[in-house]
Each structure stands twice: as structure tokens, then as C-alpha cells.
Amino acid sequence: MDENDKSDKIKKLRKGVKLSPMIHRSIMNGFDQIIDFIDFVKSALKREKDTTSMRLEEGSRGLNEEELESYYDFYGEDYLKIDEVFSKAAIELIIIKIYSHIEVGMCDLCDVIRQDRQKHDNETIEPRDSGYLDSTKKYLIKNLGLNLELDKNKEWAEILGLKDLRNAITHNDGWLSTKNGTIKKLIENGLVEVAQKVESCNQISGKISVQFEYIDYILPKVRKFFQDLKPIIK
């Protein structure tokens, strides 16, 4: 959100317009932009695969068996890099981007709901002290009194799983040790693969590799979580 957008929202607040519905729409629009970015990345990766495959096919024409083996040993790495390097990097970037949007969205909701209540209901509510996911959840429930029932919320459980994956990527170079049942189901379903996997005391450890199918799986759940907040935050 740039400074002009912030200024416009402040002016509307001063005129008595509540900010929370506006911020909610902004959050949902942000997910739409992420979807557009994902579609672009998928298209770019497919285009690069097709181009590389065509180039390899053209370069191999007329080669005998021995020459073909040497050719693909040398040039075949270009094709493998698309999956092993570029796709992996893109998936990790998208996971970080989705989680960041969730965390920022929760922070924004905390702030505007507090402002709306102080402006319209004359409530005095202390501001939140941090922007981490757990603290914003507590703030929404304890300080703002929202009945979220997150312990029963399936989408929230998926968001917590996403948080663990994101933390493994950003803080531990993809190494994950978890007892999270949601992530275990992702591993069982092949959406997350674990190299050098060790299972002990109900905990799975190893280096994760997240499949693109996980992105298609998690985004609708995250969107549903925020969409379901709409009637609660008004």
C-alpha cells in the first residue's frame, strides 16, 4: 500500500467510513494478484521447458548413439535445471509470498478493527505489539473479542502448516523437523517430499521439496479463511 492509498483511507476514516471492509477487500485482491503471478510463473517455466526441449532435439539430429550419450550428458543439464533449480526457487518464493500476505493481512485487520471501534464505538483498545501470526491471532481474540474458533478451523490448520514450511525454507535452508499432522498429510499425499527422512517419536525430519500442486492446494484454503472472516470483522 503506497502513501497515497494510506492517505485516502485515513480521510475516509475521518468522514466516518469504516476501514475494515476496505482492508478486507484489499487482502482478497492481493490473493488475486498472487494467483496472476503464479499463472505467469507456470507459463514461463513451461515455455522454457518447451524451448529447451526443442533446442536439445534439434542439436541431437544426426548424432550416433555414442555422440547422443555425450551430447545429453553435457546439454541435458539445461533441461534438468528448470525443475531442480528454477521451479524449486519459484515454489519457495510463492510460499514466502503467500505467507507474507497472510501475516500482513492479519496485522492490517487488527489495526483497522481497533481504529474502527475507537472511532465509532468510543472503545479504548491498546494497539498490538507485534506482527507475528500467533500474536495477531491472540490480539483478534483477546483484545478485539472476535469469536474465531480457530481450534476447529480446518483452514487455520493449513495456514499453520504453511507457516512451518515457510520457516523451514527461510530459516533452515529447507530442513524441517515437525510433529504437525497437517504437514504429515501433505507428505503422505505427495505434495511435500522429504529427502533423508527420519521418523522418530512422532516427528518427521528431513529436507523438504514442495511440489507445485501444493500451491494449487493451499491458496483456495487461505482465501476461504479470509473470506469467512468478512462477516465477523464488520
Side-chain angles (χ1 to χ4, degrees):
M1 183 186 302
D2 60 30
E3 291 303 318
N4 289 332
D5 288 338
K6 288 182 180 179
S7 177
D8 289 342
K9 286 177 171 52
I10 290 172
K11 288 178 182 178
K12 288 185 177 182
L13 177 61
R14 288 173 180 168
K15 292 179 181 179
V17 176
K18 287 190 174 182
L19 281 179
S20 50
M22 298 169 57
I23 292 298
H24 184 268
R25 285 195 299 272
S26 177
I27 293 169
M28 299 308 294
N29 289 339
F31 285 121
D32 292 338
Q33 292 173 9
I34 291 174
I35 290 172
D36 290 342
F37 174 71
I38 292 169
D39 289 341
F40 173 80
V41 169
K42 286 181 176 180
S43 177
L45 288 170
K46 182 180 184 304
R47 184 167 59 250
E48 186 64 23
K49 276 186 173 182
D50 292 343
T51 301
T52 303
S53 179
M54 187 180 300
R55 186 172 68 248
L56 287 172
E57 185 177 345
E58 290 176 351
S60 66
R61 287 174 185 168
L63 300 180
N64 59 40
E65 187 173 339
E66 184 177 346
E67 291 171 332
L68 277 174
E69 185 174 351
S70 297
Y71 177 82
Y72 280 108
D73 280 346
F74 187 79
Y75 292 105
E77 290 185 6
D78 292 344
Y79 189 85
L80 294 176
K81 279 182 181 179
I82 299 173
D83 276 332
E84 295 178 359
V85 179
F86 304 138
S87 291
K88 181 177 182 294
I91 292 168
E92 292 180 350
L93 172 61
I94 291 168
I95 287 173
I96 293 169
K97 189 172 183 63
I98 293 172
Y99 182 77
S100 175
H101 190 62
I102 293 169
E103 203 161 65
V104 171
M106 292 284 281
C107 289
D108 287 346
L109 287 175
C110 287
D111 292 342
V112 296
I113 294 171
R114 180 180 67 84
Q115 291 177 45
D116 284 346
R117 290 189 178 179
Q118 290 189 155
K119 178 70 175 180
H120 297 279
D121 302 329
N122 295 318
E123 294 186 39
T124 300
I125 306 171
E126 63 179 85
R128 61 181 176 83
D129 58 2
S130 71
Y132 296 112
L133 192 63
D134 291 337
S135 64
T136 53
K137 178 199 79 170
K138 292 176 182 177
Y139 186 85
L140 286 169
I141 295 171
K142 182 179 178 181
N143 296 76
L144 299 177
L146 297 184
N147 184 19
L148 300 180
E149 296 186 334
L150 294 183
D151 291 340
K152 304 175 185 177
N153 190 297
K154 294 179 181 179
E155 287 74 33
W156 181 254
E158 296 287 354
I159 288 173
L160 295 181
L162 171 67
K163 181 183 76 169
D164 285 353
L165 295 178
R166 175 263 186 190
N167 287 345
I169 291 167
T170 56
H171 300 307
N172 296 306
D173 193 30
W175 285 93
L176 175 72
S177 293
T178 184
K179 295 182 179 180
N180 188 307
T182 299
I183 293 183
K184 290 179 180 178
K185 288 181 181 178
L186 296 175
I187 295 171
E188 290 173 5
N189 295 331
L191 297 178
V192 175
E193 296 180 355
V194 182
Q196 304 175 39
K197 184 167 67 172
V198 175
E199 297 186 52
S200 177
C201 300
N202 199 35
Q203 179 168 288
I204 294 178
S205 300
K207 189 160 187 177
I208 58 170
S209 176
V210 183
Q211 306 304 301
F212 241 120
E213 289 78 7
Y214 172 70
I215 305 299
D216 298 328
Y217 169 85
I218 191 62
L219 256 178
K221 297 183 181 300
V222 172
R223 284 176 57 87
K224 183 179 185 306
F225 173 79
F226 278 93
Q227 190 61 52
D228 289 347
L229 288 180
K230 186 175 181 179
I232 299 174
I233 66 176
K234 286 186 176 180

